[in-house]
Amino acid sequence: MFIDGQPVDEYVDRLIQEMHMVMAAHPDEPIETVYIGGGTPTALSAAQLDRLCQGIRRELNFTSGEFTVEANPNDLLGTDKLAALKANGVTRLSIGVQSFDDEILKRIGRTHTVADVLAAIKNARAAGFDNLSIDLIFRLPGQSRDKFLDSLHQALALDLPHYSTYSLILERKTVFYNMMRQGRLHLPSQDVEADMYQDAIDLMAANGRQQYEISNFAVPGYECRHNLLYWQNAHYFGFGAGAFGYIGRDRYHNFGPIQQYLQPLREGHVPVIEHHLVPLTEQMEEELFLGLRTNAGVSRQRFKQRYALTLDQVYGPVVRQLVARGLLADDGEHLTLTEQGKQLGNEVFEEFLITEPLVD
């Protein structure tokens, strides 16, 4: 099978080969959660999904735990793929919805409709999946605050245990980015964007979905364990074209385009294009950036255990300044973002960049 001219069957086989090679070098590393993402894993056929999931179970020695697969709504209109995922122990589906407005979906190039979303959710539930998540995007072209509110209400009417909401990010070399540079992209203002985000926070809370991370809301017990490990700055393996992994101090990056990813594996080599030995200062910065995204925040005790320095030794003046500005809360054990801090998260994170030598 080929998707957009790519050799998908070989890609699945080589992906399993990569897992085998990497885990042979790390036989004692525990695998607690698995997440198949990167865009469109459900574009694979049911047989390919079955082969991939079986390979994961075999090569990663992954027998139990959270097993998430990202899905497009229009890939779940039949039952064969859902049956293959369920048979292989997938426990959680994350469905890329983006909006409950057909006009906006068409404008942003999505191929599914609202009717497809409803059918996909119905099929997933019928297949036995109860741990379902959908994502919504705000600050989309032509999206008013009222239109986003309508999407929020329709999403919550589905009574799912988990929701994610993200503001549109303009990536370089994308159609939207080029339109923005040309002045042809009409996006909601920053004030409207802030109102949309607050609407999401308020409505999710009113419907029993706790905000456990800046962009994520869940019924207690349904938080995404895989992403929590990431936000705790824990280690993880990355497999596949363009994947990132972080083991020990080594952050590595695989070749991106599929053909470039396949070539080293054809020659018997791990397909890593770059290794980055993460220095201590960068580890500390990421501990703050990632930890502050969660409602649990950054633990002073954990920071000292990991880096043999106290938070005050490294960030004392910064913490006091941000607390005084009302952006950070400090209870003596944890640092957390205030509601205002969540609105200005990137501004807060920038304050934790280390520009001077550490105090011992």
Side-chain angles (χ1 to χ4, degrees), residues 15 17 93 130 154 174 183 193 231 269 280 283 305 355:
L15 179 54
Q17 176 190 348
L93 296 179
D130 61 351
Q154 290 192 61
T174 62
E193 177 186 1
W231 295 318
H269 304 300
L280 180 63
Q283 293 177 53
Q305 288 174 343
T355 58

Side-chain angles (χ1 to χ4, degrees), residues 11 47 148 173 214 233 241 248 286 318 326:
Y11 178 72
F148 181 60
K173 299 181 180 179
I214 282 180
N233 206 19
E286 291 179 354
V318 173

Side-chain angles (χ1 to χ4, degrees), residues 156 160-161 163 202-211 217-220:
L156 285 163
L160 303 179
Y163 297 89
D202 294 342
L203 274 176
M204 291 292 170
N207 285 272
R209 272 64 183 176
Q210 296 182 4
Q211 184 182 27
F217 307 82
V219 172

Side-chain angles (χ1 to χ4, degrees), residues 252-277:
Y252 61 89
H253 181 200
N254 280 357
F255 283 95
I258 287 180
Q259 290 293 349
Q260 291 187 30
Y261 166 80
L262 294 175
Q263 192 55 44
L265 288 162
R266 290 167 180 158
E267 299 170 359
H269 304 300
V270 176
V272 174
I273 189 174
E274 181 182 21
H275 289 277
H276 172 54
L277 194 63

